[in-house]
Amino acid sequence: MERIIAVFRKYPIIPSMMTYSVLYPSANFVQQKYFRKYKPGEEKIDWQEIKRFCIYGGLIHAPLVYNWLRTAARLFPKTTMSHLLAKVALDQTLFAPVGLSSFYIGLSVLEGKDSQGVYDEWREKLPNTWAVSAFIWPFLQTVNFKFIPGRLRAIYVAVCSFFWTTMLAAWKHNSGSSQNIIPILSTK
């Protein structure tokens, strides 16, 4: 056990990657099992989709979040209100579009979509997803940057992301336009 803890201390990204490798596919499973509407005779759980969420969460999203949180802490290391607000503002203006783009593009690529299919889904779903993100994540990140120790921030975000990813999985699965995601925010 001491050897594992030593490895985690030496490479703190590993616990983050492990956490996302569990929480992302778990969120997708919950979305499929309890919130997805199926046609009669349709398979209830898409294990390939869960596998894609595991790969994306652990190998792509975890390092992205981990490095973003480290960068934010380096740019604004103080716990003053101005540094806190700067981190939260940067989180929504810089990281959110990158993270959400990574989500839609990464999973679309793992699905085997061609470049036009990847672009179309990204273009249709990113604006409304980002708009909803702007209502949820500033509060969560304020708590994160104010009260959570730096070494636990990526894991805190991962736990919060479980619920967020459950919604993202539904929006990702939705084959319609952004109107079907959040009608009130639709740009069409």
Side-chain angles (χ1 to χ4, degrees), residues 17-18 20-32 36 45-61 103 106-112 165 169 172:
M17 293 174 74
M18 291 171 60
Y20 277 90
S21 293
V22 171
L23 291 179
Y24 256 65
S26 297
N28 179 259
F29 177 82
V30 167
Q31 185 274 327
Q32 287 189 50
R36 190 173 287 181
I45 300 295
D46 182 345
W47 293 104
Q48 293 301 312
E49 185 175 317
I50 290 171
K51 182 174 80 175
R52 289 190 297 270
F53 270 73
C54 180
I55 292 167
Y56 172 78
L59 298 179
I60 299 169
H61 203 75
F103 175 81
L107 284 168
S108 292
V109 168
L110 289 172
E111 289 171 356
T165 303
K172 172 77 178 108

Side-chain angles (χ1 to χ4, degrees), residues 24-111:
Y24 256 65
S26 297
N28 179 259
F29 177 82
V30 167
Q31 185 274 327
Q32 287 189 50
K33 180 87 172 156
Y34 298 105
F35 300 106
R36 190 173 287 181
K37 295 178 182 173
Y38 293 97
K39 297 173 185 160
E42 189 176 11
E43 182 67 35
K44 298 283 185 212
I45 300 295
D46 182 345
W47 293 104
Q48 293 301 312
E49 185 175 317
I50 290 171
K51 182 174 80 175
R52 289 190 297 270
F53 270 73
C54 180
I55 292 167
Y56 172 78
L59 298 179
I60 299 169
H61 203 75
L64 187 65
V65 169
Y66 176 82
N67 286 306
W68 156 242
L69 293 173
R70 285 184 52 191
T71 300
R74 273 191 244 129
L75 290 173
F76 300 99
K78 298 178 184 173
T79 58
T80 63
M81 185 59 75
S82 61
H83 276 227
L84 176 64
L85 293 174
K87 284 187 265 195
V88 171
L90 282 177
D91 187 69
Q92 277 308 296
T93 58
L94 296 179
F95 179 74
V98 170
L100 293 170
S101 292
S102 172
F103 175 81
Y104 285 121
I105 293 168
L107 284 168
S108 292
V109 168
L110 289 172
E111 289 171 356

